[in-house]
Amino acid sequence: MTSLRGAITGGIIALVCAGGAFAQEAPDRAAALAAWDDIHTVVSHPRCTNCHVGPAGVPLWEGLGHEEAADQAPVHGMNILADESRIGAETMPCRTCHISAASENNVPHAPPMIADAWRLPPIEMAWKGKTSAEICVQLRDPDSNGAFTPEDLSDHLRTSAFVAWGFDPGAGRAAAPGSIPKMQEALAIWVAGGTPCAGDPHP
C-alpha cells in the first residue's frame, strides 16, 4: 500500500512538474505582444498598406519615394481605381498592366507582375490608417478579417504571390521589412500566446 501511495504521489508530482514545464514553454503575453509588434512593422509598411485600402478602392504609391516629386501625388498614378470589385472591373482591370505571369520584376518603373490576378485585398482586409491595436483586433477575429483563422493567415503568408512580391518587389523597389519565415515565426508566437492586443484587459 505504501509503495502504491508513493507511486501515485510521484505520478502527481511528475504531472505537476510537466505542466509547469509546458507553461514555461508557452509564450507569455509580453512575448506575444512583442511578436505582434514585429507583425505590425510589416503590415503597416507602405508596401502593404498601399493596397490594404478602404472602400474607395484607390491604390496608393505612398511612402515609396513618389511623393518626393512635386508633380506626383501619393495615390496610384493615372487615376487608377480598383473600385468595389477590387480588381478594376468597373473601369480598367488591374491586370491590364499588371499581367498575370511569374516575373523577376527587374525592369525599373514597369508594372510589377506576379503569378496571380493583380487586385486589391478584400475590403475586410483593409487597414490603411488604422492603429496597431485596431489592426491587431481585426486580424485575430475571423468575423472581421475575411474569415481567416490563424492557420489560414500562416498559409496565406506561405502561398500568396502578393506576399512573396511584397518582400521581394524587384527593380530597386522598397520591400517590406523582414522575410516570410520571420513573419511566420512572429505569427506563431503571437498565436501561441493567445493573440493579445494592446488595450486588452489583463487576464
Side-chain angles (χ1 to χ4, degrees):
M1 180 66 70
T2 302
S3 60
L4 177 60
R5 185 181 296 114
I8 294 173
T9 302
I12 293 173
I13 293 173
L15 287 172
V16 170
C17 291
F22 291 141
Q24 290 175 357
E25 290 175 5
D28 59 15
R29 175 182 169 83
L33 285 172
W36 168 256
D37 287 341
D38 291 338
I39 295 170
H40 180 254
T41 297
V42 176
V43 300
S44 62
H45 187 273
R47 184 56 68 199
C48 297
T49 58
N50 281 348
C51 288
H52 285 267
V53 295
V58 181
L60 304 176
W61 282 353
E62 190 173 44
L64 302 175
H66 297 282
E67 64 272 29
E68 295 173 5
D71 61 343
Q72 292 195 42
V75 297
H76 193 300
M78 299 162 284
N79 297 316
I80 294 298
L81 293 174
D83 290 306
E84 186 176 351
S85 69
R86 312 294 280 183
I87 63 172
E90 297 86 341
T91 52
M92 182 173 67
C94 302
R95 56 182 174 177
T96 302
C97 297
H98 296 279
I99 299 170
S100 300
S103 172
E104 294 182 0
N105 292 302
N106 53 12
V107 179
H109 310 299
M113 298 181 292
I114 60 172
D116 199 348
W118 200 271
R119 60 193 181 276
L120 294 183
I123 190 62
E124 294 84 359
M125 295 292 279
W127 57 65
K128 170 67 178 174
K130 293 185 179 181
T131 67
S132 175
E134 289 171 335
I135 300 172
C136 181
V137 170
Q138 177 182 355
L139 280 183
R140 73 182 178 186
D141 183 2
D143 289 337
S144 64
N145 71 7
F148 278 89
T149 65
E151 293 77 15
D152 292 334
L153 289 173
S154 182
D155 287 343
H156 178 65
L157 290 174
R158 179 175 55 84
T159 62
S160 170
F162 287 98
V163 173
W165 176 80
F167 284 106
D168 185 19
R173 299 180 182 91
S179 65
I180 291 175
K182 289 182 179 179
M183 187 74 164
Q184 288 178 306
E185 180 181 358
L187 179 64
I189 294 172
W190 180 56
V191 171
T195 61
C197 298
D200 285 347
H202 286 275

